[in-house]
Amino acid sequence: DAGVIQSPRHEVTEMGQEVTLRCKPISGHDYLFWYRQTMMRGLELLIYFNNNVPIDDSGMPEDRFSAKMPNASFSTLKIQPSEPRDSAVYFCASSFGSGGQYFGPGTRLTVL
Amino acid sequence: GQQLNQSPQSMFIQEGEDVSMNCTSSSIFNTWLWYKQDPGEGPVLLIALYKAGELTSNGRLTAQFGITRKDSFLNISASIPSDVGIYFCAGQRNNDMRFGAGTRLTVKP
């Protein structure tokens, strides 16, 4: 299995621009999670989906952040407009049921 | 949300030594997990524990799910240079998972 796939691996953008991060979960997994990792706050859960339906988005920082999962093999996390404080590594993870979560390699976002 | 207290923050050890790290929480979890993260990569699942009191091994790694369901430890025996990295504990209740701040392990050859 290829594991969780994320793209791009690195993104550098200017403040105010729209950013879209992409994720392909492991085939057969029914849960998908988006996390953000920073030095200050560590790993934070932003939102998770079950069978493509958003279950808990209480970790999403504000309305500038949105996530979608149009089908079982694809999810996006969008930031519009981006701000420098959004700079972080964003991870996507997937799991089957309540089993262990498997993480992708992450997208390192830098907002100038 | 609730935070996990992971200790120590960092460890500097000699190759061949054993390592122990632990995680505690004020909340009960149904599952405890341990992950390792290498630079520029995502966390990799090492061990998952599903029952209070469970002791599980994976090669040189051994982890236990505390009886109170509020703590877990990870031991690494006979450390080798490739054990270097950041180790995270995670407590999970349903699908809400919280992470510790990590233990940064350095192994000197």
Side-chain angles (χ1 to χ4, degrees):
Chain A
D1 197 318
V4 175
I5 299 172
Q6 289 186 248
S7 64
R9 290 296 308 272
H10 302 273
E11 176 84 30
V12 180
T13 190
E14 290 188 343
M15 182 174 64
Q17 296 297 306
E18 177 179 294
V19 174
T20 300
L21 311 181
R22 297 173 176 79
C23 175
K24 176 177 166 54
I26 292 173
S27 177
H29 281 188
D30 54 351
Y31 284 85
L32 183 140
F33 307 80
W34 282 101
Y35 289 88
R36 178 171 66 177
Q37 186 177 41
T38 61
M39 289 293 292
M40 291 296 294
R41 301 174 66 88
L43 269 162
E44 301 174 280
L45 176 65
L46 300 177
I47 184 172
Y48 75 90
F49 296 81
N50 176 219
N51 291 323
N52 314 338
V53 176
I55 302 300
D56 184 353
D57 65 354
S58 59
M60 295 285 260
E62 47 197 273
D63 291 346
R64 297 184 297 107
F65 286 68
S66 62
K68 293 182 180 179
M69 191 166 185
N71 58 63
S73 58
F74 184 66
S75 176
T76 59
L77 177 68
K78 189 173 293 188
I79 308 173
Q80 165 65 9
S82 58
E83 296 181 3
R85 61 191 168 122
D86 300 332
S87 297
V89 182
Y90 291 80
F91 288 104
C92 176
S94 70
S95 72
F96 179 70
S98 57
Q101 296 176 21
Y102 292 82
F103 284 74
T107 295
R108 181 173 294 277
L109 174 65
T110 302
V111 183
L112 303 174
Chain B
Q2 69 274 16
Q3 295 298 318
L4 303 187
N5 298 309
Q6 185 172 349
S7 64
Q9 263 190 321
S10 61
M11 301 183 74
F12 294 82
I13 62 170
Q14 206 72 36
E15 182 178 359
E17 289 183 356
D18 296 344
V19 172
S20 186
M21 57 192 81
N22 68 81
C23 232
T24 61
S25 172
S26 57
S27 301
I28 290 174
F29 290 103
N30 298 329
T31 304
W32 280 94
L33 307 104
W34 286 91
Y35 288 84
K36 182 190 177 205
Q37 187 174 23
D38 291 326
E41 301 295 330
V44 173
L45 181 63
L46 299 175
I47 290 182
L49 304 151
Y50 299 103
K51 289 197 303 190
E54 179 182 354
L55 183 72
T56 296
S57 292
N58 179 6
R60 295 178 296 107
L61 277 59
T62 301
Q64 183 157 33
F65 190 147
I67 289 290
T68 65
R69 297 169 64 191
K70 294 182 179 181
D71 63 304
S72 177
F73 72 74
L74 174 71
N75 287 342
I76 305 173
S77 63
S79 59
I80 59 178
S82 61
D83 290 335
V84 163
I86 303 177
Y87 291 80
F88 291 97
C89 64
Q92 183 171 312
R93 182 168 50 248
N94 300 319
N95 281 289
D96 185 10
M97 193 154 79
R98 306 287 164 161
F99 285 84
T103 295
R104 184 180 295 274
L105 178 64
T106 302
V107 180
K108 291 181 263 187

